[in-house]
Structure formats: C-alpha cells, structure tokens
Amino acid sequence: MHNKELLYKARQICVIPSEYQLEIEDYSEDGSRAIFAWKHPDEEEMGIWIELDGNGHLLDLTKDKSTAEVQHNLFNQEDLKNKALQFVEIHYPGAVNKFMEEHVHKIDVNLRVSYIQMELDLPLPFTGFYIDINEHGEIMQFHFNGSAEHIVFPELLLPEEKVRCEFLKDIIMNLMIVCLNEELYEKGDNLPHLVYEPELLFYKMPADGKQKVFIENEEEDKGQIYKRLPKLESGFSPEALTELDAGFAKIREQDFGDAIGQVYRKYGDEPAAADHSIMTFFNKRNENTIKVKRDKETGKLIGFISFIETAGNQLLSIKECEIAAIQFLNAIYPDAHLYFRMNEEIESDEARALFQFDLIHHGISVRYGTARISVSRTAGKITHYLGPEVEPKLLLSIDPDPGISKENAIEIFRSVFQIEKQWSKEYKDNSESYYQLVYKPIYPDFKGTVAFIHAKNGKLIVEKGF
C-alpha cells in the first residue's frame, strides 16, 4: 500500500477524537511497517497508537484512555469476549478458529482475551493474539503475533528426572542483600533482607539434550576492586553540580507511582519538527532537555540525565572528575563514605568519565545498590546519574551473619525445584527465528518463581508471576 492509503486505513481502525493531533507518522524503509500515533494536545497520557504491516493489516492498537464520548451500556464478560473476538475476525478472518483460547481474565479494569498456537499440547510463546476490552465494549488494546513459521520437533526426549539432576548438579548459593519490593515479590515489605540467591549453570536445556543454554555470569561485584570514599561535608544541593539552573523551564511531568519525573528545557531551545517520524518525535522530546527523577515522598534525586551537548574549554583529569562525582553523591547521601565503595574500574574518554559506587555492607553486595555518575571532562558538570534502589541507611539494621548455611539453602531449594517441557523461541545468527522444545525450571507449589531463600530463617522468597 502507498503511505496515504496506510494512513487512511489506520484512521478507520477506531474512532480518533477530533481534538487529537497526529504526532507520529512513520514508514519503514522496506515498506513492511507503518506506525501512527495521535495525542490529545493538552493531556500527555491520552493517545492512540496504531501499527500496520505493509499491506494494511493491523498489528498493534493501544489506547491510553477510553475515547468513547458516551458510555451508557455495560456488558457482561461473555458479551465482552464475543465483541473482542468479533473485532479480531474483522481484521483476521478465521484467526479465532486457527488459535486456541489461552486466557480470559481481568487486567485492571479491562478484560483480556488471548489466543495462542499449540503444538504437542504445549503453547508456542509470541504466537496468536491478545485483545483488551473495557466494560463498555471499547477495544483498548490489540496485538497480533500470528503463527510460528519454523518449529523444530525433537527426534528424542531425555528423561525428565535425568534433566532435573543436571540442573541441580552444580548449584551455587550467593549471599547478598536484596530489597523485597512488594510489587515484585510475594509478601514483599520494601525493606532490604539478607538472602541466598540460587545460581544455576544453565536456565534451559533442549529436550533432546543436544545443547545446554548456559547463564552468562555478569555479577558486578565478582573480582572487582573497591576503594573507600573520603568523608566530606555536604553544604549544597546536587543540582548545583549540574547544568540545571534558573534558565530552565519545566515542560513535562509524569507520576511514576513512588517517583515523579520532570523534564526541563531552556526557553527558546525547542527544536523545530521537520516531520512526524519517530526519530523527529524523540528528538523533539529529548533534544536540549534535562530529565530528573525524584522520590515522591522525600524529594531525593534518584535519576538525572542531560541531553544538552555542551563542550567547555576545560580538560579535567580523571582525579578531578572523581572528586566531582563523590561530591555529587555526598550531596544526595550525606555520609556516603559509610555506605558506598567506589569501583576502581573507571570508564572514560576525552569527553566524560563514568564512575560506579556500590553499596557494600560488611563485605556483602547489595542487589540494585549501585550509583552511576558521569562527569563531563570539558565542562566539569554531572551529566548522568542513576541512583541505587535501596536506601543506604536501612542497611544498618541488617545482621550480616546468616542463620542457615549455604548447604541448608541448597536443600531447601532442591525440595521445590522441578522442570517441565516448554516451547522456546530461539534466534540464529542471521536473526531468523525458530521454536525449540526445551526443559525449563518451574515451582509448582507457587504462583511465581523462587528467587531467593531468606538467609536468616530459610523461608522461600517468591517472585510474582506476571
């Protein structure tokens, strides 16, 4: 289809309110995809996203909020399901019979209906389609994956118990501190805990046993050298070490639940929009901006990034940049020297120096306890900061001595660990995909995945399934 025909087709997918403005109109160079987005001019979180293939078939539809002007009727679940499937049949005749029903359940206020392809009585991930419909019968989201093109059927199957023993043969327990976020973990309390994390040598094995898929171990604290930080007096705000000053105006703000995101730009620095392409869209939102993220409750800076390309006339040494980074960290966390250690491996070039500071408690690493700070070597300003997800002061209450041994933790983990056959989508070097039958870990006694064993009492900590 020609571009104008694709745009016309997209406008027929759903009702687009007259006040909405076309924000993205992007066509892939090979003609295989077209993406369109409309936004309410005054409401940042009210928009419609539509993606079509080169022939005008709907691949993805997302509405941020309902656009129906009148919402009188309320439908029961069966009627909503039927309306959702009618929408699918309009765009993909025969698709409902081609795939098998996977789920019909509520997600927030919408009903999700998902269908999937089955082979050997097992679902093939990333196939079929899913669709969300609100209680008034309005389609809020639709995504079509289609059918698997290449499925590799195993010539033989290894015995399940033999494979399970292979998984558990060289299991390792790593002692660490983790903040148990209530949104991620069952019975999470948003506090740090001393835990053991089970580490398997591989996370899946082809059902025919031909090639294990090993886990790439990227633990940041292993084999790294740290040094202590000096004690500093903190008498200024962290923003004083950045380019953010009174000449900037706040142009956007977003609520992330427990944090607030803010975007600043100097007056008159907004770039002109050359077209409606995705590249132009992101340039317009990011160019000449500074993005800040703060804790909603305390106002503490938890993230900062500058998209302003400035080059000063200085050339700071790595040591001078290090001092600036430590000053910045100490401005956010007074007495930072009590909690953080600096990784002596520093990334740098002529333009910047990047420093990593890790929370270390009695020699024990803290998961997601890293602060990364980038310093401009020519301007002497902080250009990027990403803070830890753990409040350092909370570590003081953690007893570093485990109540159970690593051997006990391994036995506890073994008692709940099982495996099952699943289809896994794999990719060749040339990006061609195929499906392969594999064995993967499961924990049938729980709704989610066993992520940790509490190092004090041996309780299993389960990551929620989503």
Side-chain angles (χ1 to χ4, degrees):
M1 279 188 172
H2 296 297
N3 291 352
K4 289 184 178 180
E5 292 177 301
L6 289 169
L7 177 58
Y8 176 81
K9 180 80 173 180
R11 290 184 181 275
Q12 311 309 308
I13 300 294
C14 65
V15 175
I16 299 172
S18 57
E19 66 270 23
Y20 278 35
Q21 298 174 354
L22 182 64
E23 194 167 45
I24 294 176
E25 181 184 354
D26 194 89
Y27 306 93
S28 64
E29 291 184 1
D30 61 1
S32 63
R33 298 276 174 130
I35 295 173
F36 307 94
W38 289 264
K39 279 283 186 181
H40 190 288
D42 303 318
E43 298 290 339
E44 180 71 21
E45 297 182 5
M46 290 183 66
I48 297 173
W49 170 283
I50 293 175
E51 183 177 354
L52 307 177
D53 69 13
N55 295 315
H57 297 125
L58 179 62
L59 297 175
D60 193 272
L61 163 67
T62 302
K63 291 183 181 180
D64 295 330
K65 290 185 179 180
S66 173
T67 56
E69 295 181 2
V70 181
Q71 298 179 337
H72 290 309
N73 298 325
L74 292 174
F75 297 94
N76 61 37
Q77 180 167 309
E78 191 60 30
D79 288 339
L80 291 174
K81 176 185 172 183
N82 290 334
K83 282 180 172 292
L85 295 182
Q86 287 170 9
F87 180 90
V88 176
E89 284 294 310
I90 289 172
H91 294 279
Y92 291 94
V96 173
N97 293 326
K98 185 176 183 179
F99 302 109
M100 184 171 292
E101 182 180 305
E102 182 185 27
H103 299 297
V104 178
H105 59 228
K106 278 287 191 75
I107 295 184
D108 296 328
V109 297
N110 299 326
L111 181 73
R112 169 158 293 188
V113 179
S114 62
Y115 276 56
I116 200 164
Q117 183 178 344
M118 302 286 288
E119 291 291 346
L120 302 179
D121 294 325
L122 295 171
L124 288 154
F126 310 111
T127 61
F129 62 85
Y130 65 82
I131 183 168
D132 295 351
I133 185 170
N134 69 15
E135 59 187 354
H136 302 286
E138 182 181 5
I139 305 301
M140 301 302 296
Q141 188 169 18
F142 171 74
H143 186 80
F144 188 80
N145 285 309
S147 302
E149 295 182 356
H150 188 194
I151 304 173
V152 178
F153 292 92
E155 296 179 359
L156 59 89
L157 293 176
L158 290 179
E160 192 168 298
E161 186 54 35
K162 179 180 178 181
V163 176
R164 180 177 179 273
C165 291
E166 279 288 309
F167 269 98
L168 295 173
K169 186 168 61 176
D170 296 307
I171 188 172
I172 299 170
M173 285 289 166
N174 296 309
L175 186 66
M176 64 178 61
I177 294 171
V178 173
C179 186
L180 298 181
N181 188 304
E182 63 180 351
E183 295 183 0
L184 299 179
Y185 302 101
E186 294 181 6
K187 299 180 181 179
D189 57 6
N190 297 322
L191 294 173
H193 293 263
L194 187 69
V195 301
Y196 288 112
E197 182 183 44
E199 180 184 328
L200 303 170
L201 289 183
F202 49 92
Y203 65 94
K204 61 184 175 183
M205 178 187 287
D208 56 12
K210 289 184 178 180
Q211 184 179 0
K212 301 172 186 175
V213 182
F214 289 92
I215 295 175
E216 294 183 12
N217 197 332
E218 297 181 352
E219 281 296 319
E220 297 180 359
D221 59 319
K222 290 185 177 179
Q224 297 193 2
I225 302 173
Y226 293 99
K227 72 176 183 179
R228 293 182 177 274
L229 305 184
K231 181 179 180 179
L232 298 178
E233 297 296 328
S234 55
F236 49 84
S237 71
E239 287 83 356
L241 293 169
T242 72
E243 297 169 291
L244 189 60
D245 56 32
F248 284 80
K250 184 171 66 176
I251 59 173
R252 290 194 304 275
E253 184 170 287
Q254 186 172 353
D255 190 331
F256 291 102
D258 57 354
I260 294 291
Q262 299 167 326
V263 183
Y264 296 85
R265 178 183 276 135
K266 279 194 173 182
Y267 294 101
D269 272 359
E270 181 174 344
D275 51 36
H276 290 299
S277 68
I278 289 181
M279 183 66 71
T280 296
F281 170 76
F282 283 111
N283 284 344
K284 186 177 179 181
R285 290 180 69 86
N286 295 329
E287 194 172 319
N288 301 327
T289 65
I290 289 177
K291 297 187 177 183
V292 177
K293 198 173 184 181
R294 302 179 191 278
D295 184 277
K296 185 188 288 186
E297 186 176 331
T298 65
K300 180 175 291 185
L301 188 67
I302 56 179
F304 176 95
I305 185 168
S306 172
F307 290 94
I308 300 172
E309 294 185 10
T310 56
N313 54 12
Q314 307 178 65
L315 183 57
L316 299 183
S317 67
I318 299 300
K319 185 62 180 179
E320 289 173 314
C321 292
E322 177 186 320
I323 292 172
I326 295 174
Q327 287 175 334
F328 182 80
L329 183 66
N330 200 72
I332 300 171
Y333 295 103
D335 295 325
H337 68 286
L338 298 177
Y339 314 108
F340 291 92
R341 299 290 180 265
M342 193 184 94
N343 190 322
E344 291 200 12
E345 186 175 337
I346 301 167
E347 295 182 29
S348 66
D349 54 29
E350 292 183 355
R352 52 123 210 185
L354 176 62
F355 300 89
Q356 177 174 314
F357 302 90
D358 293 332
L359 290 171
I360 306 289
H361 181 64
H362 291 275
I364 302 170
S365 65
V366 180
R367 174 63 57 84
Y368 305 127
T370 294
R372 293 182 172 87
I373 301 173
S374 183
V375 183
S376 167
R377 296 189 65 184
T378 62
K381 299 289 187 179
I382 306 301
T383 58
H384 179 255
Y385 166 70
L386 183 62
E389 296 184 14
V390 181
E391 174 56 44
K393 290 182 179 179
L394 295 177
L395 299 176
L396 298 178
S397 63
I398 301 293
D399 181 355
D401 297 321
I404 65 170
S405 67
K406 291 186 177 182
E407 290 73 23
N408 291 147
I410 289 174
E411 288 307 311
I412 293 169
F413 181 73
R414 283 176 178 270
S415 69
V416 298
F417 180 90
Q418 297 295 332
I419 59 171
E420 71 174 8
K421 293 187 288 292
Q422 299 178 16
W423 286 110
S424 176
K425 192 172 186 179
E426 309 291 342
Y427 293 88
K428 296 180 180 179
D429 292 339
N430 60 3
S431 297
E432 180 184 345
S433 65
Y434 64 97
Y435 284 88
Q436 177 179 251
L437 195 64
V438 301
Y439 283 108
K440 280 188 174 182
I442 60 166
Y443 306 89
D445 296 336
F446 305 97
K447 292 181 180 180
T449 300
V450 172
F452 309 104
I453 293 93
H454 203 290
K456 286 296 182 183
N457 54 35
K459 289 185 178 179
L460 293 162
I461 298 169
V462 178
E463 187 175 357
K464 293 179 181 180
F466 294 97

